[in-house]
Amino acid sequence: MPAARKAPKKAARHTAAEPSPLAAEAFADLLKLDLQLCFAVYSTALAFNGVYKRLLDPLGLTYPQYLVMLVLWERDGVSVKEIGRLLHLDSGTLTPLLKRLEAAGLLQRSRDRADERQLQVTLTAQGRTLRERAQTVPLGIGSACGLQAGELLALRDQLLALRQRLDTAAE
Amino acid sequence: MPAARKAPKKAARHTAAEPSPLAAEAFADLLKLDLQLCFAVYSTALAFNGVYKRLLDPLGLTYPQYLVMLVLWERDGVSVKEIGRLLHLDSGTLTPLLKRLEAAGLLQRSRDRADERQLQVTLTAQGRTLRERAQTVPLGIGSACGLQAGELLALRDQLLALRQRLDTAAE
DNA sequence: AACAATTAGTTTGTACGCAATTTAATTTTT
DNA sequence: AAAAATTAAATTGCGTACAAACTAATTGTT
């Protein structure tokens, strides 16, 4: 019995005539909850970053750099646009990040012959090798989270659904 | 029919004594889930930021600045340390942020008479006035989230519990 | 073919976020 | 009371994030 998905509990929209003080109060509480949810997401992201820092410092990577390496380990020779699409980051963020990874000797940036506008991002031998040293990272994150598979899955999916709505709202 | 997505499965790392290939595989999947959860949190935080930007730009605030204002609207005359404790931010982040809010005429920074090490952050009249213009922000966030009270509450609490574990893990 | 529109990436400028160091004030120890 | 330790902010340095403006390559339109 999955509880009517559209039950309009929200008492929403009563700009004009207020139904009752009680409903207005409940509505205000709901609004506060939204803010609190956002803050929970925000501060959890910062906390994750703190854990990742400890795990990634030995590899010389930041978390966003690690994300880029994950993309490349999965599929080498990607364009900046594709990386941005996968990670929800724009080229203004990625260009300097990729240059740092190139300077660190982990990847190479070269223009696509077929379309010179595009940049082909390819791993170097060193970049491929780093993958092995990075094997322990998920273990460290897993133990820091300390959640069961079910919880993990549910939380991830709720967040992704939320992100979708937020992206839509931001047009 | 595009290649069974879960076919090759990777046969993850058999470094020490693995109980069984099946268990090892399930374990590897779990590790991947942790990474995905982190990415979900990370990208949802960025998406929230995008929505907030639209709502806060007219007020001339960023999201972290809005958080500081929320603290001050609730309890004026706080120290930097207290703001940092509430928002999980350190003085290296807050000092320049507060200076910007001061330059914008929203607050005043002055040393505590009783303890000159501490800074008293107090709202100006303009800072207090801004509160009214900010009344519509929660409404905008609420509609962008589009969640019901129960979901909101559950998600918030799961995230806060997770953050607690992450903070502990990071010592 | 010529020119406009689009696209991919880069650059510039602003604002976090945090580690590490520094400065100044207060507290603790001796 | 003097010296040592602690504390609160500020400063410095590095790496995101993203808007806006810019450059160069490709596509489309006439």
Side-chain angles (χ1 to χ4, degrees):
Chain A
M1 186 178 47
R5 296 191 48 178
K6 277 289 172 186
K9 260 224 164 142
K10 259 189 116 177
R13 230 118 319 256
H14 47 34
T15 27
E18 299 286 322
S20 83
L22 268 169
E25 206 177 289
F27 183 62
D29 284 351
L30 194 59
L31 292 184
K32 243 188 252 177
L33 256 183
D34 286 299
L35 298 191
Q36 287 171 13
L37 174 61
C38 177
F39 180 67
V41 172
Y42 168 75
S43 58
T44 304
L46 296 184
F48 256 123
N49 200 48
V51 173
Y52 264 112
K53 187 159 299 183
R54 298 187 153 238
L55 296 168
L56 293 177
D57 258 358
L59 306 183
L61 293 176
T62 65
Y63 178 60
Q65 289 170 2
Y66 173 65
L67 288 178
V68 169
M69 293 304 287
L70 283 178
V71 168
L72 293 171
W73 287 329
E74 205 65 40
R75 184 150 56 98
D76 203 359
V78 210
S79 69
V80 174
K81 179 165 184 66
E82 181 66 2
I83 296 174
R85 193 184 64 76
L86 292 168
L87 303 183
H88 295 242
L89 295 173
D90 76 356
S91 66
T93 300
L94 288 172
T95 294
L97 188 156
L98 290 169
K99 283 185 175 176
R100 274 176 216 115
L101 291 178
E102 185 178 41
L106 298 175
L107 54 81
Q108 213 178 343
R109 298 169 348 112
S110 54
R111 292 284 161 185
D112 184 336
R113 288 283 165 70
D115 183 345
E116 292 274 344
R117 287 173 306 180
Q118 293 188 29
L119 203 68
Q120 288 259 292
V121 181
T122 4
L123 288 171
T124 60
Q126 199 187 332
R128 280 188 296 275
T129 303
L130 190 65
R131 186 178 197 169
E132 275 138 52
R133 289 217 288 143
Q135 296 284 3
T136 58
V137 171
L139 198 65
I141 291 298
S143 88
C145 291
L147 297 181
Q148 306 287 324
E151 300 176 280
L152 278 173
L153 201 78
L155 197 47
R156 182 200 64 178
D157 290 344
Q158 286 171 60
L159 285 169
L160 293 182
L162 175 57
R163 186 187 71 190
Q164 183 107 34
R165 291 190 198 189
L166 295 173
D167 282 340
T168 306
E171 257 105 326
Chain B
M1 184 165 48
R5 296 190 50 181
K6 278 289 176 181
K9 279 259 177 145
K10 257 196 146 183
R13 226 79 343 218
H14 288 257
T15 31
E18 298 288 320
S20 83
L22 268 168
E25 209 177 283
F27 183 62
D29 284 351
L30 194 60
L31 293 184
K32 243 190 249 176
L33 257 184
D34 287 297
L35 297 190
Q36 288 172 13
L37 174 61
C38 178
F39 179 68
V41 172
Y42 167 75
S43 57
T44 304
L46 295 185
F48 257 124
N49 200 48
V51 173
Y52 264 112
K53 187 160 297 181
R54 298 189 153 237
L55 296 168
L56 293 176
D57 258 358
L59 306 183
L61 294 176
T62 64
Y63 177 61
Q65 289 170 2
Y66 173 65
L67 288 177
V68 169
M69 295 304 287
L70 283 178
V71 168
L72 293 172
W73 287 328
E74 205 65 40
R75 184 149 55 96
D76 202 0
V78 212
S79 69
V80 174
K81 179 165 182 67
E82 181 66 1
I83 296 173
R85 192 184 65 76
L86 292 168
L87 302 183
H88 296 242
L89 296 172
D90 76 356
S91 68
T93 300
L94 288 173
T95 294
L97 187 157
L98 291 169
K99 282 184 175 176
R100 273 174 219 119
L101 291 178
E102 186 178 40
L106 298 175
L107 53 82
Q108 214 178 341
R109 299 169 347 112
S110 55
R111 290 287 161 184
D112 183 337
R113 289 281 165 71
D115 184 343
E116 292 274 344
R117 286 172 307 181
Q118 294 188 30
L119 202 69
Q120 288 261 295
V121 182
T122 4
L123 287 172
T124 60
Q126 200 188 331
R128 278 187 297 274
T129 303
L130 190 64
R131 186 179 198 169
E132 276 138 51
R133 288 217 288 144
Q135 296 283 2
T136 57
V137 172
L139 198 64
I141 292 297
S143 87
C145 291
L147 296 182
Q148 300 180 4
E151 300 175 279
L152 278 173
L153 200 77
L155 196 46
R156 184 201 63 177
D157 290 343
Q158 286 170 61
L159 284 169
L160 293 181
L162 175 57
R163 187 188 71 190
Q164 183 107 34
R165 292 190 199 190
L166 295 172
D167 282 339
T168 306
E171 259 107 322

